[in-house]
Amino acid sequence: MRVVLIDDERLALEHLGKKLGEIAGVEVIGKYSDPHTGVKEIKNEQPDAVFLDIEMPGGNGLDLAKEIKQSIPNVKIIFTTAYREYAVDAFEVSADDYLLKPIMKERLIKTINRLFGTNEKSGNSSNKIMVCCFHKLHFKMDKKKK
């Protein structure tokens, strides 16, 4: 899953990027502190998901989400904010999730699992091995997509 992050707070941007980078199958393809540059790059990169702050100087995340969805209708929008009061507005613009800062890795894993259909507790994709013993011994490996 390819993701882009937009947040005007550089420290929050780096923290979120680090946490997402620890989850198998997640590739952070862009981190932007300027919302307008981020939206422009999103249109070029076509990510699977965008983690978007709401309160930013020079751009409101709710308005940016509408613009992003117009360009890439299937992209998942996950709002990341310190403000609870925007939750209803966020879901009115088709938010896929709403995360309150500081964001914990466990909460990110839950979001990724829910949005992209994985079911891993650790967020790490792993291959499952089965031993089948009907008439003869053979092994099967169930490979999951990242």
Side-chain angles (χ1 to χ4, degrees):
M1 172 180 60
R2 301 168 63 237
V3 302
V4 168
L5 319 178
I6 301 176
D7 195 317
D8 63 306
E9 296 177 37
R10 191 49 118 172
L11 191 58
L13 195 61
E14 293 304 320
H15 176 75
L16 181 57
K18 182 178 185 284
K19 294 286 183 207
L20 285 166
E22 295 171 353
I23 301 173
V26 176
E27 177 187 4
V28 178
I29 61 170
K31 296 186 277 188
Y32 304 95
S33 56
D34 175 51
H36 298 292
T37 302
V39 170
K40 184 174 129 184
E41 291 302 318
I42 285 167
K43 291 175 183 178
N44 292 331
E45 292 290 333
Q46 301 281 310
D48 300 308
V50 176
F51 287 80
L52 181 62
D53 191 13
I54 292 181
E55 281 287 324
M56 295 179 284
N60 177 296
L62 298 169
D63 294 334
L64 294 174
K66 290 177 194 174
E67 185 179 343
I68 293 165
K69 280 286 197 180
Q70 285 177 349
S71 297
I72 313 168
N74 294 328
V75 71
K76 306 290 186 195
I77 301 287
I78 301 100
F79 284 104
T80 59
T81 184
Y83 304 99
R84 295 179 186 275
E85 62 266 19
Y86 294 113
V88 172
D89 295 332
F91 286 105
E92 285 180 5
V93 296
S94 301
D96 292 284
D97 209 342
Y98 192 90
L99 304 177
L100 290 173
K101 294 176 183 174
I103 301 168
M104 300 293 134
K105 183 178 177 183
E106 293 76 25
R107 182 60 174 89
L108 281 174
I109 291 169
K110 184 176 180 181
T111 295
I112 299 300
N113 288 344
R114 187 173 57 78
L115 295 179
F116 295 96
T118 62
N119 209 9
E120 301 293 330
K121 291 183 181 180
S122 68
N124 293 325
S125 296
S126 61
N127 298 330
K128 294 182 181 179
I129 297 175
M130 298 186 308
V131 177
C132 302
C133 300
F134 300 106
H135 300 291
K136 63 181 181 180
L137 180 64
H138 66 278
F139 300 90
K140 290 184 179 181
M141 183 177 284
D142 180 21
K143 293 184 180 181
K144 293 191 172 195
K145 292 181 182 177
K146 288 187 176 186

